[in-house]
């Protein structure tokens, strides 16, 4: 079964033509399962067949969360494949390249990780950076899901989680030791790609300081070319209008070159790289992930539980230390030692890690529901845009500068449940499922028209639908 069927724009597998979408939520679930099976390449699920033909780190975690609703064993295999590419330092790379996939840039030769860094695995080929640490959330989901399986599968999955445990601990320890060397409780990122929110206005200031060498020759972009031949949606807005600009991409590519020249050595990178930022959203995910992983370790009698809880507390303090009077959080530009206060979805980071006092949590929830965010009267679905429509940098079409992203909805729903806000979580869950009822499972959506953009069918959007429908 091939996922390529729907990325070309034909979503006939259970979807009514003419934009009416699927008839029932049962059909949405069936379609989502169809997409994940179609994008399955054996040991991994590609993020999207044409646009993202390899394994991406945080995509894989969301895929595992969705697959847990179908097969806990297959869900765990997704994480096992990803962690088989873990670096000797404990870093989990943001791309694991599949040798049989179509060409992609930047590809293994451009990253050249095995050539310049002894910590990179000899195989498979990987990128040299990371993505937000959502993986522990998937492990927790898998362990919960296997409770209803037969005894043999329960034994198998629990045994495999035990076997994966040292790699999970090494990943968390890497983040603490190498990405928070000053003990701020905030994760340092080397590239906007590490945040997962590539061209978010969060990074406009830091990227302004990235000056490519005049001798640097940019390489061919895979994203625009992959979308150019597909039905990408957006009416007059073509593939280029939906993606980061060429000027942005020149900076992205130059940072890859800087990282390669530094041999992906954390100390050298932190001393030399043009871009160095403390990411508050990834830090909040990490705090929550530490708690989730600790619950798994406690249940299975594994080592490191107190250590994980200590990490979680440290990063929660770090996140809360960036907040304003509304509880809205901010990133930190480490090159300039200045907060980056932008109206992006990352400001709601405290809703993931918790810890706000009740009055400020209430103000943050009021902000989330306000016309600046989910309460904007023009929204097709009441879920948060990646950038506030009231922000000067808002663009309803261009990637992380305005469109809505199903996995971000999922994280906020999950965070609201953890923060003791079930009513707000329920409202966002229903709005997200209404958005995904088109059966397209796009990478992201136009906030006002509801049009699907980017890669499709995107595995993580299908996975989000499966998990939310199974609640």
């Amino acid at each position: 079964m091939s996922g390529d069927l729907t990325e070309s724009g034909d979503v006939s597998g259970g979807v009514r033509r003419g934009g009416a979408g699927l008839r029932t939520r049962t059909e949405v679930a069936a379609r989502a399962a169809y997409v994940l099976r179609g994008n399955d390449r054996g040991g991994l699920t590609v993020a999207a067949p044409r646009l993202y033909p390899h394994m991406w780190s945080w995509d894989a975690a969301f895929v595992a969360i969705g697959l847990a609703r179908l097969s806990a064993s297959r869900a765990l295999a997704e994480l096992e494949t990803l962690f088989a590419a873990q670096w000797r330092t404990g870093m989990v790379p943001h791309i694991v390249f599949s040798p049989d996939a179509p060409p992609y840039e930047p590809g293994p030769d451009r990253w050249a990780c095995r050539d310049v860094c002894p910590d990179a695995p000899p195989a498979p080929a990987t990128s040299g950076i990371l993505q937000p640490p959502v993986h522990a959330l998937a492990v927790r989901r898998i362990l919960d899901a296997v409770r209803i399986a037969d005894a043999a599968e329960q034994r198998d999955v629990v045994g495999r989680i035990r076997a994966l445990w040292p790699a999970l601990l090494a990943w968390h320890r890497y983040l603490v030791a190498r990405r928070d060397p000053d003990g701020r409780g905030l994760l340092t990122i080397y590239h906007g790609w590490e945040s997962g929110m590539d061209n978010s206005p969060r990074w406009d200031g830091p990227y302004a300081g990235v000056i490519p060498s005049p001798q640097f020759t940019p390489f061919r972009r895979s994203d625009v070319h992959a979308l150019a031949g597909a039905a990408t949606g957006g009416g007059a807005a073509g593939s280029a209008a939906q993606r980061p600009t060429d000027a942005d991409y020149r900076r992205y590519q130059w940072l890859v070159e800087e990282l390669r020249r530094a041999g992906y050595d954390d100390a050298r990178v932190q001393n030399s790289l043009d871009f160095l930022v403390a990411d508050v959203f990834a830090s909040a995910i990490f705090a929550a992930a530490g708690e989730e992983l600790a619950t798994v370790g406690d249940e299975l009698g594994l080592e490191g539980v107190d250590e994980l809880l200590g990490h979680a507390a440290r990063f929660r303090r770090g996140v809360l230390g960036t907040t304003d009077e509304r509880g809205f959080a901010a990133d930190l530009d480490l090159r300039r030692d200045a907060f980056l206060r932008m109206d992006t979805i990352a400001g709601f980071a405290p809703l993931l890690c918790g810890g706000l006092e009740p009055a400020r949590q209430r103000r943050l929830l009021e902000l989330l529901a306000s016309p600046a965010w989910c309460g904007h009267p023009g929204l097709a679905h009441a879920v948060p845009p990646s950038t506030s429509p009231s922000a000067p940098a808002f663009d309803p079409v261009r990637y992380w500068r305005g469109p809505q992203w199903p996995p971000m909805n999922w994280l906020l729903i999950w965070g609201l449940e953890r923060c003791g806000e079930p009513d707000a979580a329920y409202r966002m869950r229903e709005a997200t499922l209404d958005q995904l009822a088109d059966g397209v499972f796009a990478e992201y959506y136009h906030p006002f028209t509801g049009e699907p953009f980017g890669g499709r069918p995107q595995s993580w959007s299908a996975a989000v639908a499966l998990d939310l429908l199974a609640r």
Side-chain angles (χ1 to χ4, degrees):
M1 185 184 299
S2 173
D4 293 342
L5 171 70
T6 55
E7 194 165 19
S8 67
D10 177 1
V11 292
S12 59
V15 180
R16 293 185 304 194
R17 296 183 184 276
L22 298 175
R23 294 179 178 85
T24 69
R25 288 187 173 178
T26 299
E27 289 181 307
V28 176
R31 175 66 179 172
Y34 173 87
V35 164
L36 290 181
R37 291 184 180 117
N39 289 353
D40 191 333
R41 299 296 181 266
L44 64 86
T45 304
V46 297
R50 180 177 288 110
L51 184 55
Y52 306 113
H54 302 282
M55 170 180 263
W56 266 256
S57 174
W58 75 329
D59 291 69
F62 282 107
V63 166
I65 288 168
L67 285 175
R69 302 300 189 175
L70 303 174
S71 165
S73 180
R74 177 60 186 86
L76 187 54
E78 197 75 15
L79 298 182
E80 290 168 335
T81 299
L82 177 65
F83 276 84
Q86 187 172 31
W87 285 35
R88 190 167 59 185
T89 58
M91 187 186 80
V92 176
H94 101 293
I95 302 175
V96 178
F97 291 103
S98 174
D100 301 324
Y104 180 86
E105 284 289 353
D109 293 341
R110 183 73 60 173
W111 290 100
C113 296
R114 293 175 292 196
D115 299 332
V116 302
C117 182
D119 294 320
T126 75
S127 65
I129 58 176
L130 52 77
Q131 280 186 321
V134 190
H135 314 89
L137 282 59
V139 175
R140 178 71 265 175
R141 270 291 194 271
I142 291 167
L143 188 57
D144 289 342
V146 82
R147 297 183 198 283
I148 61 172
D150 61 46
E153 185 176 1
Q154 288 184 34
R155 287 193 299 272
D156 173 64
V157 168
V158 169
R160 287 160 59 195
I161 290 174
R162 289 180 181 277
L164 190 62
W165 189 254
L168 291 163
L169 273 185
W171 170 222
H172 280 235
R173 286 168 174 165
Y174 165 82
L175 292 170
V176 170
R178 302 290 188 96
R179 294 307 186 99
D180 187 30
D182 298 327
R184 298 174 186 266
L186 295 170
L187 293 179
T188 299
I189 61 169
Y190 305 153
H191 199 300
W193 287 346
E194 291 202 309
S195 73
M197 304 184 192
D198 305 13
N199 70 329
S200 172
R202 303 166 67 189
W203 315 132
D204 287 356
Y207 272 132
V210 176
I211 311 298
S213 166
Q215 288 74 45
F216 176 66
T217 302
F219 47 85
R220 181 180 183 271
R221 293 179 61 173
S222 292
D223 59 331
V224 172
H225 291 281
L227 285 175
T232 57
S239 58
Q242 297 176 31
R243 310 297 293 183
T245 65
D246 284 344
D248 289 336
Y249 244 82
R250 184 177 175 86
R251 293 185 174 96
Y252 302 164
Q253 293 171 355
W254 174 246
L255 285 177
V256 172
E257 177 68 13
E258 285 195 315
L259 286 159
R260 187 186 61 79
R261 292 181 182 184
Y264 304 104
D265 177 87
D266 289 288
R268 290 173 61 191
V269 167
Q270 290 168 19
N271 285 329
S272 64
L273 197 68
D274 287 340
F275 182 103
L276 201 70
V277 176
D279 180 343
V280 74
F281 198 76
S283 300
I285 290 173
F286 186 53
E291 290 185 337
E292 291 292 287
L293 203 57
T295 67
V296 172
D298 187 53
E299 182 173 336
L300 300 184
L302 300 169
E303 65 166 319
V305 170
D306 290 341
E307 177 187 355
L308 290 166
L309 292 175
H311 297 165
R314 167 173 157 182
F315 281 84
R316 182 181 299 104
R317 287 193 300 270
V319 170
L320 298 182
T322 74
T323 55
D324 61 18
E325 67 282 354
R326 304 168 298 170
F328 203 69
D331 302 297
L332 179 63
D333 186 339
L334 296 174
R335 286 284 173 251
R336 296 157 188 81
D337 195 26
F339 282 118
L340 301 168
R341 298 207 176 273
M342 303 293 293
D343 290 330
T344 75
I345 195 171
F348 295 103
L351 296 178
L352 304 184
C353 63
L356 281 175
E357 62 272 23
R360 281 207 300 162
Q361 180 166 307
R362 185 167 58 252
R363 287 196 291 272
L364 191 58
L365 287 171
E366 290 170 353
L367 177 64
L368 181 62
S370 75
W373 290 96
C374 297
H376 190 285
L379 295 182
H381 301 282
V383 295
S386 46
T387 300
S388 170
S390 64
F394 174 76
D395 183 331
V397 171
R398 198 176 294 280
Y399 216 40
W400 288 96
R401 302 184 76 85
Q404 297 164 321
W405 292 72
M408 297 305 101
N409 302 349
W410 187 96
L411 282 170
L412 285 173
I413 293 164
W414 177 81
L416 288 166
E417 291 169 345
R418 293 182 82 242
C419 287
E421 300 291 347
D423 292 342
Y426 175 79
R427 289 191 295 271
M428 193 175 294
R429 171 185 176 272
E430 291 298 297
T432 299
L433 288 173
D434 286 345
Q435 182 179 60
L436 295 174
D438 63 357
V440 174
F441 302 118
E443 185 179 4
Y444 47 100
Y445 288 83
H446 193 298
F448 299 144
T449 68
E451 292 175 88
F453 286 155
R456 64 181 88 161
Q458 191 83 5
S459 295
W460 70 359
S461 297
V464 162
L466 272 177
D467 184 71
L468 293 181
L469 284 165
R471 295 291 178 92

